[in-house]
Each structure stands twice: as C-alpha cells, then as structure tokens.
Amino acid sequence: MTAGVATRAPRRSRLPDLDWPLLGAAVALAVLGLVMVASASLHLGDRAGSPFHYVVRHGLALGLGVLLGLFVSQVRLQDWQESGTRLYFVGLALLAIVLVPGIGHEANGAVRWIRVGPFNVQTSEFMKLFMVVYLAGYLVRRQEAVTHSVAAFLRPMLLLVFACALIMLQPDFGTTFVLLCTALGMMFLGGAALWQFGVLLAVAGAALVGLVVTSPYRLQRVVAFLDPWSDPLGSGYQLSQALIALGRGEWTGVGLGSGIQKQFYLPEAHTDFIFAVIGEEFGLVGIVAVVGLFAVIFWRAFANGALAEQVGNRFAAFVSYGCGLWIGLQACINVGVNVGRLPTKGLTLPLLSYGSNSVIVTCMAVGLLLRVHHEVREAAGPRRGAR
C-alpha cells in the first residue's frame, strides 16, 4: 500500500439509541395480548358474524396505537410541557361531552364512550395520559411551592377531583382509582409534605369507601370478593370461575387454545379476566412471565426518571414516574382482581386485554417513555464525556 494513504476502519452497524428492555417488554406483551385475545374470543366472534371479529378489531387498535406511539416518541418533551394545561382542559371537555345525552354511548349500564367511525372512544383513558403530562409540568413550575405551600399542593388536587367526579358520573370506579393513585404518587415524588399527603390520602380513602358503601352493586362486589365461594353461582360467580381457571393451569398450563373456562364459563375472559385465561393455558410459567414483563416496564420508567433528575430534566422525570405508576398500578389491580386479592372492577390489563382505547393510550405512554429515554440519554452523553 502506498505510504501516506490513510486506511478507513470499517464502520460498525449501531442500533438506534432506544430503551430496548422497555420496548422489548412492551412488544412482547402486545404480541401475547393479540394471541390471547384470539384464544379467548373466537367462540364469541361467531355471535358477531365472524370468529375473528374481536381479533381484527384488537389488531386494528394495536396498529393505530403503534402509529400514535411512534408519533408521540417524535414530539419534543418541551412541546408536551408547554401543552400540559391545554391537554388537561381538552381531556376535561371530552369527559363532559360523554355525559351529553345523544352523544355518549351507553353499554352495560355505563356511559363512557363516544362513537367515532367504527371505534368507541373512551375519553377517560386519554385523561390518564393528559393528567400525567399536566401534573409533571405543574410540579416543575411550582416545585418549591408544592413542598411548602398547602395552597400549591391543593390546586392540582382540586382539578384532579373535578376530573374524577366526571369519570364517576359515567360511572367508572376503576379508572377513577387508578387516576387518583397515580396523581397522589406523583405529588409524593414531587416533594409534597408527608402530612399533606397523608391527610389527602385519608380523605380520598374515606371518599372511596363512601362510594362503595352507598352503591349496592359495588358493595356486592366487595362482599363477593371477601368470600366468592359463599355464592359461587351468584355474586361470586366471576371470581370463582377465574380462580378455577388459574387452578387448572397448575405449573405449565393446559396449552394454548385448550382452556375451558373461557368458553362461556368465565365472563369477560378476553377483557378484564384475560390474565386468568393466560394462567389456565400457560400455567404459573405464563403468569410469572407476564408479571416479569410489567416489572421491566416499571423498572425502566423509574430508571429513566432517576437519570432525568440527575441531568436536571425534572419534567422528563415526572412524566416517566407518572407513566410507570399508571401502567404498573393498573396491571397490579387487574392481576389482584384475577387472583381474588382485590374486589372486581372493570380495568383492563394494559397491552394484553381486548379494549381499543386502553391499548392505544398505553402505546402512546410507551412512546412517551421512549422519548424520555432518548432526550435524557442525549443530555447525559456530554456530561459523561466531560468527566
């Protein structure tokens, strides 16, 4: 080789700077969800004209969720921060519109949806995302005040109560509980005084207990949860069938598609109780895998949040904490209901259960978490290089 001629080193292919554990866990849950919705709903689809009725609709929702998740991952966090207050009021308007006669769509005694083409939009699902973004921005703007001022602490809580009141009018106790606990968790992580947090938690707990005691059907659910076998063919039917499904699965399950409980024994097997179907068909192995995947999402959300605080991006930190709390809490509640440790409530298992709105909004939350990782890593890169 001629002297003085420099040789170029071959370029190494490099993967995009994504949070691969987070993305991998979310994709695994979404794929498993599509498979399990098919397994749990083929017999129900015949009633709607096609065995694949629910599978196709779930697939379309998942595809739309992926597209919206990609869009969200490309939007700067600064833009989200500047839009937080507007998003809250947009969500509030959507919650109010559902209650307008002739606009809101009723199903199973609840008015939670607005018809948009072939889809029913459940506005309360989008309020979860909007509230996380709003609270994250508020905690950044009022960081010192939230820690020392009762008024600054109560202001976002009043807005939260207003949103929860509209959701309860639908009624949707499960979403209200998740939204309330997520917001309280974010305020606690934001530095709210422990006594303020304790007082508000006590008030919220008393209010939730009051809602249960004053509502016959909620009270019946609590009673059935305490002892489902006292009335296994009545109030305890759904929970007892879920427990039977989990028991049949034993260690490795009866095999994909071979479950019996989903076939008209276990109500809502493809939605609220899909975890029981997984337990029956994949056994303890499947249950541990699903719980482990949700644990990865929760871990990555809090790991990215901690890194965001280190680089001084508190908005990114609170967005990451909020999304992690929301997804993790909803998953824990759904699993708790399926295994008989919590009263039955209408909450889907994120990314797994049939439910267009839940799937779409959770995909958007994952996209937002990926954006947090991207911006935080970019900010941390120069700092690591300077050391």
Side-chain angles (χ1 to χ4, degrees):
M1 183 178 292
T2 306
V5 178
T7 59
R8 292 184 178 180
R11 290 185 177 181
R12 294 182 179 180
S13 60
R14 184 184 177 188
L15 293 173
D17 188 17
L18 296 174
D19 190 334
W20 291 105
L22 169 67
L23 184 59
V27 170
L29 286 170
V31 172
L32 178 61
L34 186 62
V35 172
M36 295 312 302
V37 166
S39 176
S41 68
L42 291 179
H43 63 290
L44 297 174
D46 286 330
R47 295 178 173 180
S50 168
F52 296 98
H53 172 79
Y54 294 102
V55 182
V56 171
R57 290 177 66 87
H58 187 77
L60 289 174
L62 186 58
L64 180 58
V66 170
L67 291 176
L68 289 175
L70 288 172
F71 170 76
V72 167
S73 69
Q74 301 305 308
V75 178
R76 298 181 311 155
L77 291 178
Q78 181 65 31
D79 295 332
W80 284 102
Q81 186 173 356
E82 293 172 355
S83 304
T85 303
R86 290 194 295 272
L87 287 174
Y88 167 79
F89 284 107
V90 167
L92 208 63
L94 291 174
L95 291 176
I97 289 174
V98 172
L99 302 174
V100 176
I103 297 180
H105 172 61
E106 181 178 350
N108 297 325
V111 183
R112 304 175 185 172
W113 301 271
I114 301 173
R115 287 194 181 277
V116 179
F119 291 104
N120 291 323
V121 177
Q122 187 175 353
T123 57
S124 58
E125 287 290 339
F126 291 87
M127 194 62 186
K128 296 175 186 175
L129 179 63
F130 297 163
M131 183 59 76
V132 166
V133 173
Y134 165 73
L135 276 180
Y138 182 85
L139 288 170
V140 171
R141 294 191 304 272
R142 308 284 291 174
Q143 176 183 353
E144 293 298 326
V146 167
T147 306
H148 301 99
S149 170
V150 176
F153 175 77
L154 290 178
R155 191 175 296 118
M157 293 297 98
L158 291 175
L159 295 177
L160 173 68
V161 168
F162 194 32
C164 289
L166 290 175
I167 296 174
M168 284 304 302
L169 289 175
Q170 297 179 3
D172 191 347
F173 184 80
T175 299
T176 301
F177 186 79
V178 170
L179 191 62
L180 187 62
C181 290
T182 300
L184 288 174
M186 291 180 67
M187 294 298 290
F188 178 74
L189 293 172
L194 191 59
W195 72 268
Q196 295 176 348
F197 182 79
V199 169
L200 190 60
L201 191 61
V203 172
L208 292 175
V209 170
L211 288 172
V212 170
V213 173
T214 57
S215 175
Y217 85 93
R218 292 194 192 101
L219 184 60
Q220 186 181 39
R221 284 184 172 185
V222 172
V223 172
F225 147 72
L226 294 174
D227 186 10
W229 304 109
S230 64
D231 189 12
L233 298 180
S235 60
Y237 178 78
Q238 197 169 30
L239 178 54
S240 61
Q241 294 301 315
L243 294 175
I244 291 172
L246 291 167
R248 290 192 74 246
E250 298 185 352
W251 289 97
T252 58
V254 298
L256 178 62
S258 299
I260 295 176
Q261 294 303 112
K262 65 189 180 185
Q263 298 182 23
F264 305 110
Y265 291 101
L266 177 61
E268 309 298 336
H270 62 307
T271 55
D272 301 344
F273 283 87
I274 199 166
F275 186 77
V277 178
I278 294 173
E280 182 179 10
E281 299 190 353
F282 292 101
L284 182 63
V285 174
I287 288 175
V288 171
V290 169
V291 172
L293 290 171
F294 279 112
V296 169
I297 293 178
F298 185 81
W299 159 56
R300 293 310 305 160
F302 271 71
N304 288 327
L307 183 58
E309 288 201 86
Q310 291 179 13
V311 301
N313 192 338
R314 288 178 58 82
F315 177 76
F318 290 126
V319 163
S320 198
Y321 293 149
C323 289
L325 284 170
W326 151 31
I327 296 174
L329 179 65
Q330 184 164 330
C332 285
I333 293 173
N334 182 277
V335 171
V337 167
N338 275 254
V339 300
R341 289 295 174 262
L342 290 173
T344 303
K345 51 180 65 65
L347 274 179
T348 58
L349 189 57
L351 294 174
L352 278 168
S353 296
Y354 174 81
S356 303
N357 296 273
S358 176
V359 169
I360 290 170
V361 176
T362 306
C363 286
M364 294 173 68
V366 171
L368 192 53
L369 288 173
L370 291 173
R371 183 67 194 187
V372 168
H373 173 82
H374 172 72
E375 292 198 13
V376 169
R377 294 279 295 190
E378 276 194 340
R383 294 192 176 200
R384 289 198 300 267
R387 288 178 181 177

